[in-house]
Amino acid sequence: MVIYRPLTRSELPDDTASLARYLVGKLVVRELPEGIASGRIVETEAYVVGDAAGHGYRGMTPRNRSLFLDAGHAYVYLAYGISYMLNVSSEMPGVGTGVLIRALEPLEGIAIMRHNRGIERLRDLARGPGRLTQALRIDRSLDGLDLCRKGPLWLATDSRESDEMGESVRIGISKDADRLLRFYVKGSVFVSGSKSLNG
């Protein structure tokens, strides 16, 4: 059993890129009727102020309003009509920036994740943003949730020292695509993306 505590809002850096770095090594905890499923964050992407690739770039809409909440809230959206994406709002209320959680190293509830994903291979359970939301059964019903308190979905720490971190350009975007705003654990087999990005 993993022992962890919720992250407090006061612990979160108030800059989006700093939060993206900070969240690498922290945990995502999902409480489900059949038990707890959790994973260590091994990859994030920052979508910063003035970022043309960010969903908040053109202002608040009914779809993205959770991105404009105080730091530490869930912004969940459906990408390409296929996969849900889990983001963490990252700055002051009204700013509209966030951190995409791109990949997890599964820790607890692995049988639950395997059932949700319909696969056995541990490495592929949560390697990529759509896979991790499927593994943890995250959908729009969790949009706007406060991730800094225990509940159906929350962020945690187990006080483990973070591993060596790499950075690269973000994956699958066309606007502001050259910015080094993707952060990942070097050498982790649970990180998504190509080998050239993860050197």
Side-chain angles (χ1 to χ4, degrees):
M1 169 129 181
V2 185
I3 304 298
Y4 32 55
R5 65 164 178 82
L7 292 180
T8 63
R9 189 157 282 107
S10 62
E11 290 177 276
L12 304 180
D14 57 9
D15 166 79
T16 302
S18 298
L19 179 62
R21 288 186 194 94
Y22 174 79
L23 288 175
V24 173
K26 304 303 187 289
L27 304 127
V28 176
V29 183
R30 179 75 167 107
E31 298 190 13
L32 292 161
E34 60 269 47
I36 287 178
S38 68
R40 189 177 307 282
I41 299 169
V42 294
E43 182 185 358
T44 62
E45 286 181 347
Y47 290 85
V48 298
V49 173
D51 186 347
H55 281 199
Y57 182 64
R58 298 191 184 280
M60 191 188 304
T61 68
R63 178 187 183 225
N64 72 12
R65 65 184 182 275
S66 297
L67 200 54
F68 291 79
L69 295 172
D70 200 2
H73 286 81
Y75 168 49
V76 181
Y77 68 90
L78 187 63
Y80 309 113
I82 300 169
S83 299
Y84 290 101
M85 305 280 139
L86 172 63
N87 300 261
V88 181
S89 62
S90 57
E91 299 202 24
M92 302 186 328
V95 175
T97 53
V99 174
L100 173 66
I101 309 300
R102 276 202 62 91
L104 302 175
E105 175 186 346
L107 295 178
E108 203 172 0
I110 289 169
I112 296 170
M113 293 190 211
R114 283 179 166 143
H115 174 78
N116 290 340
R117 288 273 293 120
I119 64 165
E120 287 293 314
R121 193 176 184 207
L122 184 67
R123 178 175 182 242
D124 290 332
L125 288 181
R127 186 172 57 90
R131 290 173 173 178
L132 78 86
T133 55
Q134 186 181 27
L136 297 182
R137 216 180 302 153
I138 293 169
D139 59 23
R140 284 279 294 173
S141 69
L142 300 171
D143 182 54
L145 199 69
D146 185 352
L147 300 174
C148 294
R149 61 173 66 178
K150 287 187 177 183
L153 182 69
W154 46 287
L155 294 169
T157 180
D158 60 358
S159 301
R160 197 183 91 169
E161 288 294 314
S162 59
D163 297 301
E164 186 181 359
M165 195 182 308
E167 63 179 42
S168 79
V169 296
R170 294 170 293 184
I171 296 173
I173 62 169
S174 56
K175 297 173 183 175
D176 280 343
D178 58 343
R179 303 175 80 169
L180 300 178
L181 291 172
R182 173 177 169 266
F183 307 98
Y184 61 94
V185 173
K186 282 193 168 185
S188 172
V189 299
F190 301 101
V191 169
S192 70
S194 64
K195 287 184 179 178
S196 63
L197 281 179
N198 297 329

